[in-house]
Amino acid sequence: MVTISAIKADVGGFVGHGAVHPRLIGEAERRIGEAIAQGLLLDGRVSSCGDDVNMVMTHHHGVDADVVHHFAWDAFVAMTAIAKELHLYGAGQDLLAEAFSGNVRGAGPGVAEMEIAERVSEPFVVFAADKCAPGAWNLPLYKMFCDPFNTAGLVIDSKMHAGFVIEVHDLIDRRRALFHCPEQMYDLLVYIGTPGRFVVKHVFRRDDPDQPVASSSTSRLSLIAGRYVGKDDPIMIVRAQNGLPAVGEVLEPFAAPYYVAGWMRGSHNGPLMPCGLQDATPARFDGPPRVVGMGFQLADGCLVGPRDMLGDVSFDRARGIALEMADHMRRTGPFEPSRLPAQDMEYTTMPAVARAMEGRWEPIPDTAPIVATP
Ligand code: 13P
Ligand code: 13P
Ligand code: MG
Ligand code: MG
Ligand code: MG
Ligand code: MG
């Protein structure tokens, strides 16, 4: 068995919230090299999407392994020190815990992991997004594993015809449920259509339910910290081919950009724009939100790749559409649906404005018009 761990955090933006400084990437790569030499990791790669550092690692320690999480935490702490030295923006932003306590889940970093029996050929894609919330993966995961108009294999591949099991987490009441698709697809949609609360955590094959085929990060930073600490900027791992969606079926949902919660100050709806790793540098209104796809083959636990999957020219039109969607949303500025509904905003002046407004509201009379006093 081999474990794939994709762990990410924002430990300081360059410039503002737009990108990661190369020295942070260099530090993470150096540490991963050491960890491979020491035998802790089999392999690892470092990349970024916006201001988030992504570490994709393989090892034999299983999911939620103390040693691997501790390694990732220490790497983020070391990168934070460099971010402080360079006065990068929001140094240590996603490290919400004071110190490591056995697991980075709930401490700020986003984690997607799966322990698998490596197949003869094991293609998989790690997706990372910036300026959005973890529920951003609900729609593409639904399309990949439940929608035959996206995934032809659901209809024409006998190894996929039975469908998939979708595990959904309720981030507010901290509970989970399984949905067996296709039969329970409508029930599933009732929940995952509310992506701010219900998030697809894992996907399993029905005839091999021990083996996860997709795994996503679900941390909601504001729920952990109880205050605004940036957007959650999720990551996920999706395996492909041979009884699973083909690589092209895994990528296809991102050809039709959709709106996600995030963008400027974590408080706006914006289109999730697929882009190449070089272009994952949100700028306009701190966005629009970005998604990158890193394609790998596993070879005895080692990572062959990444290939920059969403950088392909076949996503150029999707980028154009996303930019047009961004124009539409920007026109309405502080009005919904450009601005998120009040309860979903990551920060707000509402309490202060409401205090200042005290005494200025009066009951609406049945007949008399209001009289403006000079
Ligand atoms: P190739 O013949 O190029 O291998 O294509 C196989 C396939 O199934 C593509 O989806
Ligand atoms: P990040 O979560 O990517 O740091 O975004 C924060 C923000 O406020 C962007 O405007
Ligand atoms: Mg940031
Ligand atoms: Mg970010
Ligand atoms: Mg963030
Ligand atoms: Mg081929």
Side-chain angles (χ1 to χ4, degrees):
M1 300 290 275
V2 58
T3 303
I4 308 168
S5 298
I7 305 186
K8 50 85 37 189
D10 174 350
V11 289
F14 170 60
V15 173
H17 291 283
V20 173
H21 191 280
R23 273 190 60 197
L24 272 55
I25 302 283
E27 175 66 14
E29 283 175 338
R30 191 184 65 74
R31 285 173 168 263
I32 281 184
E34 275 176 13
I36 294 169
Q38 289 161 3
L40 172 68
L41 300 178
L42 293 170
D43 209 349
R45 295 287 185 278
V46 186
S47 64
S48 61
C49 182
D51 56 4
D52 296 284
V53 178
N54 308 310
M55 296 196 286
V56 179
M57 298 167 281
T58 54
H59 54 87
H60 287 310
H61 304 285
V63 302
D64 279 332
D66 194 322
V67 281
V68 174
H69 284 224
H70 206 154
F71 165 78
W73 179 266
D74 287 347
F76 290 130
V77 169
M79 285 182 263
T80 298
I82 297 171
K84 284 185 174 157
E85 181 193 323
L86 300 178
H87 294 225
L88 298 179
Y89 196 71
Q93 181 183 280
D94 287 356
L95 303 186
L96 303 180
E98 289 295 317
F100 181 75
S101 59
N103 198 302
V104 294
R105 265 195 301 122
V111 187
E113 295 186 295
M114 53 169 75
E115 186 175 34
I116 60 170
E118 183 182 317
R119 296 170 292 168
V120 174
S121 180
E122 185 63 66
F124 69 96
V125 183
V126 176
F127 292 96
D130 188 40
K131 304 296 176 269
C132 64
W137 303 136
N138 285 6
L139 188 149
L141 284 170
Y142 173 81
K143 284 185 160 181
M144 289 172 211
F145 292 99
C146 305
D147 178 4
F149 283 77
N150 180 90
T151 298
L154 290 167
V155 181
I156 66 176
D157 181 351
S158 56
K159 293 205 216 112
M160 289 175 64
H161 204 70
F164 292 90
V165 181
I166 316 292
E167 178 189 331
V168 174
H169 285 197
D170 175 347
L171 302 184
I172 304 291
D173 281 349
R174 295 181 151 277
R175 50 184 185 154
R176 62 182 175 178
L178 297 175
F179 295 84
H180 293 74
C181 294
E183 310 91 276
Q184 296 173 344
M185 262 164 55
Y186 297 164
D187 296 341
L188 171 69
L189 286 168
V190 167
Y191 290 99
I192 65 171
T194 303
R197 172 165 183 179
F198 299 99
V199 175
V200 177
K201 180 65 184 172
H202 294 115
V203 179
F204 303 93
R205 270 175 63 162
R206 291 186 75 154
D207 47 8
D208 193 5
D210 298 334
Q211 288 272 308
V213 298
S215 175
S216 76
S217 66
T218 53
S219 46
R220 277 206 51 192
L221 298 175
S222 58
L223 296 180
I224 299 169
R227 61 189 156 85
Y228 180 68
V229 278
K231 260 299 169 205
D232 320 297
D233 306 326
I235 194 162
M236 73 167 167
I237 308 166
V238 184
R239 299 165 74 191
Q241 303 288 156
N242 195 15
L244 304 177
V247 169
E249 291 166 340
V250 167
L251 302 178
E252 179 65 8
F254 299 103
Y258 51 97
Y259 289 109
V260 294
W263 206 352
M264 174 57 73
R265 297 169 187 270
S267 301
H268 294 80
N269 282 309
L272 189 62
M273 183 168 81
C275 66
L277 288 160
Q278 293 306 317
D279 298 319
T281 50
R284 181 183 178 190
F285 203 52
D286 282 1
R290 306 291 153 112
V291 55
V292 297
M294 292 158 275
F296 295 97
Q297 297 278 158
L298 268 189
D300 300 318
C302 289
L303 294 162
V304 181
R307 256 197 62 215
D308 187 3
M309 308 307 286
L310 297 177
D312 187 66
V313 291
S314 55
F315 289 92
D316 283 354
R317 266 172 56 78
R319 289 185 256 283
I321 291 166
L323 293 176
E324 248 176 59
M325 292 164 74
D327 283 341
H328 289 301
M329 272 302 182
R330 287 302 305 124
R331 271 178 214 145
T332 48
F335 289 80
E336 298 174 18
S338 165
R339 199 210 70 197
L340 291 180
Q343 68 275 12
D344 295 335
M345 285 166 65
E346 292 289 356
Y347 56 83
T348 176
T349 48
M350 186 58 124
V353 173
R355 269 194 305 279
M357 281 290 294
E358 264 164 37
R360 286 166 60 194
W361 291 99
E362 56 177 85
I364 299 172
D366 287 337
T367 49
I370 195 163
V371 178
T373 45

